[in-house]
Amino acid sequence: MRKARTRAMATRPKPPSMADERDSEGLAAMISRLAAEGNDYARAELRAYRAGMADRITAARTAAILFVGAIVLALATLVALLVGLILALATLIGAAGATAVVVLAMLLLAGLMGWIGVGRIKHALRKEKK
């Protein structure tokens, strides 16, 4: 019976001492500090990511502006080329005939490009058969 009592006393939880309370307060403070530092780290990473993205967006915006400018200049060049073609043909078939030929040729080219584009879109949107 004495062995049972000794065994029971050995398995009973000990009441918390002052040292255990200080350790648990220290642990709580460490966990709180760890959470705060993790939060600060995440915020700093987010700021760095945003700064990098802002630089990339600025570069992309500049590139887009340059592309639009290039397209506008290319269209202006195409118009100049068509006007020159009309003027060159005007000496052979007259101004009205040259204009009609160039306009019809461009409309045929635009229609052909549109027809091919519609076919490509239909092909891309076609459902695959299983």
Side-chain angles (χ1 to χ4, degrees), residues 9-28:
M9 289 178 75
T11 59
R12 279 189 207 158
K14 296 180 183 177
S17 67
M18 291 297 284
D20 291 338
E21 288 179 19
R22 275 184 271 140
D23 288 344
S24 66
E25 288 176 18
L27 181 61

Side-chain angles (χ1 to χ4, degrees), residues 22-82:
R22 275 184 271 140
D23 288 344
S24 66
E25 288 176 18
L27 181 61
M30 284 178 21
I31 291 173
S32 176
R33 191 172 64 242
L34 178 64
E37 287 177 2
N39 192 8
D40 291 344
Y41 176 76
R43 289 181 190 273
E45 284 292 321
L46 184 60
R47 279 192 299 271
Y49 180 75
R50 284 182 179 166
M53 287 305 295
D55 291 343
R56 288 181 180 176
I57 288 171
T58 301
R61 185 185 68 209
T62 302
I65 290 169
L66 290 171
F67 280 129
V68 168
I71 291 170
V72 168
L73 288 175
L75 288 174
T77 303
L78 182 62
V79 168
L81 177 68
L82 294 175

Side-chain angles (χ1 to χ4, degrees), residues 108-124:
L108 284 173
L109 182 61
L112 178 64
M113 291 173 71
W115 181 64
I116 292 172
V118 168
R120 297 264 174 123
I121 288 175
K122 284 182 181 178
H123 179 71

